[in-house]
Amino acid sequence: MVKKEIINFKEHTDGRGSLIALEYPKQIPIEIKRIYYIYNVKKDTPRGFHSHKDLNQILIAISGCVKVKISDSYDEEIITLDSNDKGLLIGPMIWREMFDFSEDAVLLVLADHEYDESDYIRDYDEFIQLGREYWKK
């Protein structure tokens, strides 16, 4: 059961520049079914404010910097994503809020399921109740 994990990606650099290759299952521990990215976020505009019942995601700051507050319904943690050679793996039943986006931030999200609105928990009080039941297992 994955709550969260920082994944470090291997960067290949030479005189031509740098490259990071992401392959399943070598560097990416989840099979990717959906990819999207968030950019041009206005100053002081937070994103997220939800959890997923089954979805696993990897968040990567391809450019710039973003902070991610996560909660398992008991504990909270703030993680700064500011390097394109690391990703934040977030498992099911973890609340996430992304905030403090730098002006040049591009946040890439890799997900192991296609979009499914029924997988979302958007009410924080409901998340707390369901999360505490989930993590008791």
Side-chain angles (χ1 to χ4, degrees):
M1 191 178 323
V2 172
K3 284 188 178 186
K4 67 97 179 162
E5 176 185 342
I6 298 293
I7 303 170
N8 293 301
F9 306 123
K10 185 173 182 173
E11 182 177 22
H12 304 277
T13 302
D14 62 22
R16 301 169 294 167
S18 299
L19 176 138
I20 295 174
L22 305 177
E23 297 177 3
Y24 168 79
K26 292 179 184 177
Q27 296 84 11
I28 299 291
I30 61 174
E31 190 171 355
I32 305 305
K33 301 274 177 85
R34 183 171 183 238
I35 299 170
Y36 62 93
Y37 46 95
I38 300 169
Y39 64 102
N40 286 340
V41 177
K42 291 182 176 38
K43 186 168 178 63
D44 300 323
T45 303
R47 301 288 307 252
F49 297 92
H50 65 271
S51 179
H52 292 277
K53 297 172 188 167
D54 296 309
L55 184 80
N56 290 284
Q57 293 182 317
I58 299 173
L59 283 60
I60 305 167
I62 295 297
S63 177
C65 176
V66 62
K67 293 181 181 169
V68 183
K69 180 166 82 170
I70 58 173
S71 170
D72 63 4
S73 75
Y74 292 100
D75 298 313
E76 287 184 359
E77 182 177 357
I78 294 177
I79 297 163
T80 300
L81 296 175
D82 58 1
S83 174
N84 59 17
D85 66 351
K86 70 178 178 182
L88 172 62
L89 172 62
I90 303 174
M93 296 307 296
I94 300 292
W95 187 264
R96 78 271 338 259
E97 299 174 15
M98 291 83 69
F99 65 100
D100 203 11
F101 285 79
S102 65
E103 189 173 297
D104 61 339
V106 177
L107 182 64
L108 178 70
V109 181
L110 311 174
D112 68 351
H113 291 3
E114 295 173 357
Y115 177 81
D116 178 3
E117 181 60 34
S118 68
D119 185 58
Y120 282 74
I121 303 169
R122 298 185 185 276
D123 179 87
Y124 189 72
D125 292 333
E126 178 185 4
F127 161 73
I128 293 295
Q129 179 185 5
L130 293 173
R132 292 192 175 170
E133 291 172 16
Y134 179 85
W135 293 111
K136 274 196 257 184
K137 295 179 187 177

